[in-house]
Amino acid sequence: MSDQKHTFAAPVKAPDCWDWIRPEDVVRHALAAFYWACNNVKAPKGEKFLGVDGRPYADRETFADCMTHFFDLRIKAEAHSIGIGDYAPEAKMLERCTQPRSV
């Protein structure tokens, strides 16, 4: 992500809405969100994925929620880094999400 702020003219055609991000950037964010969610649904070190009651630590819906949430944070943090939108809270949350989990 860039930390360079840009001044954008008001959009006059639809492509002006996405001129700040390339398709390959979107793919990079999607892959990062996928792998982050994969790691996030793993049970903490030393714990089993299935509890004694047979319930899993996470499920497919948890995975979907984690992946879409992280993707959302990444896109908004990138937009914020170049001066698009008021996404400072999302950028800060992304920082917290990318810090190692406590053991």
Side-chain angles (χ1 to χ4, degrees), residues 2-3 8 10 15-16 23 27 36 41 43-44 50 71 80 85 90 95 97 100:
S2 170
D3 284 331
F8 294 94
D16 294 343
V27 170
W36 184 83
V41 297
L50 288 178
F71 179 76
H80 176 73
E90 288 87 346
E95 284 180 39
C97 288

Side-chain angles (χ1 to χ4, degrees), residues 10-47:
V12 294
K13 56 191 182 303
D16 294 343
C17 297
W18 62 81
D19 63 358
W20 60 275
I21 192 165
R22 303 170 303 165
E24 53 269 26
D25 296 325
V26 174
V27 170
R28 178 175 48 84
H29 289 304
L31 280 172
F34 172 80
Y35 289 118
W36 184 83
C38 288
N39 286 324
N40 201 53
V41 297
K42 293 177 182 174
K45 199 171 204 135
E47 292 185 30

Side-chain angles (χ1 to χ4, degrees), residues 1 16 19 30-31 34 39 43 49 53 55 62 67 70 73 85 90 92 101:
M1 285 183 252
D16 294 343
D19 63 358
L31 280 172
F34 172 80
N39 286 324
F49 185 76
D53 59 357
R55 298 180 86 195
T62 304
M67 185 171 62
F70 195 63
L73 291 177
E90 288 87 346
K92 288 198 181 304
R101 285 181 9 183

Side-chain angles (χ1 to χ4, degrees), residues 1 70 73-75 77-78 89-99:
M1 285 183 252
F70 195 63
L73 291 177
R74 288 182 60 93
I75 295 296
E78 180 158 339
E90 288 87 346
K92 288 198 181 304
M93 186 179 287
L94 178 64
E95 284 180 39
R96 289 192 305 271
C97 288
T98 54
Q99 294 173 353

